[in-house]
Amino acid sequence: MKTAHDLVTAAKALIREVSLDDAEHAIREADVLLDVREADEFAAGHLPGALHISRGMLEFKLAGTPELSSRDLKVVLYCKTGGRAALAAKALLDMGYIHVQSLAGGFDAWAAAGHPLARPSLPAFD
């Protein structure tokens, strides 16, 4: 029986991971930056300009959103450390997307390197 680690390792062998050093360029060149973490993780902080679609809903949201349906979109994905993003990238390749990259090390590596983060502001209830 395969473990989650086995599935991530297999996915990483088939996808393109972009290094942290090359991430800013890849993100600038991308048509869409996707955060595939859960909603609470996204709300706690995310990469500026990221669109949130949790890993569990990814295929459904892409299929149901005309602006994201073009298979030649340049897509960069990330999650917390890279596992979910690798699985998501593999799913996008399986769906026929051509230009898919996953951020190696994910959000944690981005934040640890001191790159900018976005945090939604909450309304004041004074």
Side-chain angles (χ1 to χ4, degrees):
M1 175 160 62
K2 292 184 180 182
T3 66
H5 178 74
D6 294 334
L7 295 173
V8 168
T9 299
K12 285 186 176 190
L14 300 172
I15 66 162
R16 180 164 184 248
E17 275 193 305
V18 61
S19 70
L20 192 57
D21 291 338
D22 296 329
E24 288 181 354
H25 179 263
I27 291 167
R28 271 194 312 275
E29 295 295 315
D31 296 310
V32 64
L33 172 62
L34 293 178
D35 183 325
V36 298
R37 299 175 302 154
E38 296 301 314
D40 60 330
E41 293 173 290
F42 183 81
H46 54 273
L47 276 63
L51 175 65
H52 175 253
I53 303 177
S54 64
R55 171 66 194 101
M57 294 300 297
L58 183 66
E59 295 87 346
F60 301 104
K61 293 269 185 164
L62 290 175
T65 307
E67 302 83 23
L68 299 175
S69 64
S70 175
R71 298 311 195 246
D72 58 356
L73 281 176
K74 293 176 185 163
V75 181
V76 175
L77 304 116
Y78 72 92
C79 64
K80 181 174 171 51
T81 60
R84 287 175 284 178
L87 295 173
K90 171 67 170 65
L92 265 64
L93 291 174
D94 289 345
M95 291 176 73
Y97 287 84
I98 301 166
H99 308 288
V100 179
Q101 298 178 81
S102 173
L103 177 59
F107 178 85
D108 285 357
W110 178 269
H115 292 294
L117 301 175
R119 288 186 173 82
S121 60
L122 298 174
F125 296 104
D126 295 334

